[in-house]
Amino acid sequence: MNHLIAPSILAADFGNLQRDIEMINGSQADWLHVDVMDGSFVPNISFGQNIVKTMAKHCNKIIDVHLMIDNPEKYIESFKEAGADIITVHEEATNHLHRTIYQIKETGAKAGVAINPHTPIQVLENVLEDVDLICLMSVNPGFGGQKFIYQTLSKIRTLRKWLTERNCTAMIEIDGGVGLQNAEKILEAGADVLVAGSSVFKAEDPLVAIERLKAIPG
Ligand code: DX5
Ligand code: ZN
């Protein structure tokens, strides 16, 4: 499968959100990655359903909502109503992951599960068949612009092996510190979706940055 690019709106200019979303609309990006932070699960607060709704209204790409919030099961339906196509929750943030995955699917959204850099992929062993997306965090969540943690590469390789062996269709998404300097290695290891915040929005020409990430063979 050709890999997908999901620019993270967290790195956009919030004073010019509509302009930046229109740039994404006209780009080769596949998804818009939307980071929701609650100041509890992660040490930062971003935005909630109303802002996501406005973004979704203006955006013609798949809306990939990454919930970095405690007890995400309380807010699944409202993020779906706001326009999420994919809803990803953290394994560390919900007590009944299997139930939460099916709660997401019930809304009609695709279900994703994310794990932090220190969390072993083994925690996902019993939900591999249930999820549509597995997001491996390659930085500690909470902020954009951090350095890629290279141990993520071996997690990707093992996860890819498991998915192939078990004939699972879940996609592997890598989130944090992704850019042209490491994208090839990440794709070689077996990733399907690259989230890119700073490397797109802080680039001299974001459209070209997206084009280059998309053009990487793999
Ligand atoms: C981190 C977020 C990421 C972040 C990526 O908590 O989940 O999606 O926006 O930003 P960069 O690409 O700048 O690391
Ligand atoms: Zn994210």
Side-chain angles (χ1 to χ4, degrees):
M1 180 201 101
N2 274 346
H3 62 277
L4 306 180
I5 307 298
S8 168
I9 201 69
L10 192 67
D13 174 0
F14 283 7
N16 288 293
L17 213 43
Q18 190 174 349
R19 180 202 68 189
D20 283 359
I21 288 176
E22 274 160 14
M23 180 280 289
I24 297 291
N25 287 344
S27 77
Q28 290 185 17
D30 300 279
W31 297 355
L32 182 71
H33 185 83
V34 176
D35 286 311
V36 177
M37 305 179 181
D38 67 350
S40 172
F41 179 68
V42 288
N44 196 8
I45 298 176
S46 58
F47 40 72
Q49 293 89 331
N50 280 346
I51 305 283
V52 174
K53 193 172 181 176
T54 309
M55 290 177 185
K57 197 177 102 196
H58 291 286
C59 187
N60 63 18
K61 307 282 180 178
I62 303 272
I63 306 294
D64 171 32
V65 174
H66 178 193
L67 295 180
M68 283 163 277
I69 64 176
D70 279 321
N71 306 313
E73 58 282 350
K74 290 187 189 164
Y75 305 99
I76 305 287
E77 288 75 18
S78 61
F79 278 102
K80 170 63 186 164
E81 272 159 37
D85 298 299
I86 305 166
I87 299 177
T88 296
V89 297
H90 268 262
E91 182 273 338
E92 302 89 348
T94 184
N95 285 331
H96 303 282
L97 179 62
H98 184 273
R99 176 184 288 149
T100 308
I101 290 167
Y102 280 91
Q103 188 188 344
I104 297 172
K105 289 187 159 180
E106 196 66 9
T107 68
K110 300 266 185 217
V113 56
I115 56 170
N116 286 332
H118 77 277
T119 303
I121 55 171
Q122 277 72 8
V123 300
L124 303 177
E125 237 183 297
N126 295 317
V127 294
L128 292 182
E129 278 85 4
D130 303 297
V131 287
D132 299 299
L133 179 77
I134 296 170
C135 173
L136 299 182
M137 291 307 301
S138 38
V139 298
N140 288 295
F143 304 93
Q146 303 181 79
K147 259 183 76 186
F148 182 82
I149 297 171
Y150 271 85
Q151 285 93 316
T152 313
L153 292 177
S154 67
K155 285 169 105 174
I156 305 173
R157 282 188 212 104
T158 312
L159 184 58
R160 171 53 61 207
K161 194 167 154 269
W162 287 1
L163 293 174
T164 308
E165 280 168 7
R166 289 166 61 166
N167 243 329
C168 295
T169 54
M171 299 172 98
I172 303 178
E173 178 179 65
I174 306 305
D175 187 7
V178 177
L180 276 174
Q181 73 288 355
N182 53 21
E184 200 169 337
K185 278 202 172 71
I186 295 169
L187 293 172
E188 259 170 32
D192 301 297
V193 186
L194 301 178
V195 174
S198 318
S199 67
V200 164
F201 286 99
K202 310 287 184 238
E204 207 173 299
D205 187 337
L207 281 174
V208 173
I210 294 170
E211 215 176 286
R212 289 199 177 135
L213 286 169
K214 188 72 186 168
I216 294 170

